[in-house]
């Protein structure tokens, strides 16, 4: 499946976007596995923000219609019982799409989340998202080329950011937002050139 979202790569222009009043949505998904064609979303979270701060948040568990692999439960602490009464993706996605609107998406390893969301949209008979997106994994590699690692949890720990409940979509989206803003702050002098 092709990634329809345009990934933003001109990191030197990000600060201008933020200061110009752009609205962003930090997003994250938790899934049953790693392959969008055969695996499903089980949780989606988002934080809508601009230069003034957090505007709103979105969080929902998603019933995948299949039993969770044990490694997914161990990683996320999400159980089949928690998902059994949750709505399916076809019910959650319209609200999510309305929530993000035309915001610029921000995600850590963005292609993963975007491919999963777009695959679930396809399964639900809805069009793919066309929002521009920023991958904070690549942004962090640009901002901190000598860092040993660039995982969300490693960066959060290195930056003194409380990652709260790692591998839960809402909390990872909040952490992603903070890492995005920190990357911009730490590269401000480069971006003003």
């Amino acid at each position: 499946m092709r990634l329809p979202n345009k990934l933003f790569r001109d990191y030197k222009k990000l600060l201008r976007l933020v200061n110009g009043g752009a609205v962003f949505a930090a997003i994250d998904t938790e899934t049953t596995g790693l392959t969008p064609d055969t695996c499903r979303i089980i949780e989606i979270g988002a934080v809508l923000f601009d230069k003034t701060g957090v505007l709103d948040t979105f969080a929902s568990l998603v019933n995948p219609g299949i039993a969770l692999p044990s490694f997914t439960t161990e990683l996320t602490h999400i159980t089949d019982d928690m998902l059994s009464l949750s709505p399916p993706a076809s019910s959650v996605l319209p609200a999510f799409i309305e929530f993000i609107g035309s915001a610029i998406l921000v995600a850590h390893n963005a292609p993963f989340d975007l491919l999963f969301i777009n695959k679930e949209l396809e399964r639900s008979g809805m069009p793919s998202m066309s929002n521009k997106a920023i991958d904070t994994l690549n942004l962090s590699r640009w901002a901190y080329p000598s860092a040993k690692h660039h995982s969300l949890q490693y960066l959060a720990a290195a930056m003194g950011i409380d990652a709260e409940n790692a591998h839960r979509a809402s909390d990872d989206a909040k952490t992603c937002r903070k890492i995005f803003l920190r990357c911009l702050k730490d590269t401000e002098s480069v971006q003003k050139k």
Side-chain angles (χ1 to χ4, degrees):
M1 180 177 190
R2 186 179 73 73
L3 187 66
N5 302 76
K6 182 179 178 189
L7 285 177
F8 195 92
R9 297 187 195 278
D10 190 354
Y11 302 130
K12 290 183 179 182
K13 291 184 180 177
L14 287 178
L15 194 57
R16 278 184 266 162
L17 270 177
V18 172
N19 291 335
V23 175
F24 300 87
I27 64 169
D28 188 66
T29 59
E30 299 303 329
T31 65
T32 60
L34 301 176
T35 310
D37 287 334
T38 57
C39 300
R40 306 301 293 262
I41 291 176
I42 59 171
E43 186 176 36
I44 192 164
V47 180
L48 201 64
F49 66 100
D50 66 8
K51 66 181 178 181
T52 66
V54 173
L55 303 172
D56 203 355
T57 60
F58 179 94
S60 181
L61 290 171
V62 179
N63 186 334
I66 58 173
L68 291 178
S70 58
F71 74 85
T72 300
T73 298
E74 290 170 20
L75 181 67
T76 65
H77 302 290
I78 296 171
T79 65
D80 286 318
D81 286 343
M82 293 167 67
L83 299 177
S84 65
L85 299 176
S86 300
S90 60
S91 296
V92 173
L93 289 174
F96 173 76
I97 295 300
E98 182 178 338
F99 176 82
I100 62 169
S102 61
I104 299 168
L105 305 179
V106 179
H108 204 75
N109 192 14
F112 179 87
D113 296 295
L114 298 175
L115 286 170
F116 263 95
I117 293 168
N118 283 324
K119 187 63 178 179
E120 292 286 10
L121 286 166
E122 180 184 301
R123 286 186 186 112
S124 300
M126 298 174 64
S128 295
M129 297 181 297
S130 59
N131 305 56
K132 289 184 180 172
I134 298 163
D135 184 354
T136 54
L137 176 61
N138 287 333
L139 173 63
S140 71
R141 288 176 176 151
W142 173 76
Y144 314 109
S146 61
K148 285 184 175 184
H149 304 284
H150 292 91
S151 72
L152 193 70
Q153 283 71 36
Y154 178 87
L155 291 169
M159 294 175 178
I161 295 170
D162 180 7
E164 300 180 43
N165 294 311
H167 301 293
R168 290 301 303 265
S170 182
D171 289 333
D172 283 354
K174 291 174 187 174
T175 301
C176 182
R177 173 188 163 267
K178 292 174 185 175
I179 287 172
F180 171 72
L181 294 173
R182 178 65 180 272
C183 286
L184 295 185
K185 180 177 183 265
D186 289 351
T187 59
E188 188 172 358
S189 62
V190 174
Q191 293 190 55
K192 288 187 174 179
K193 289 182 181 178

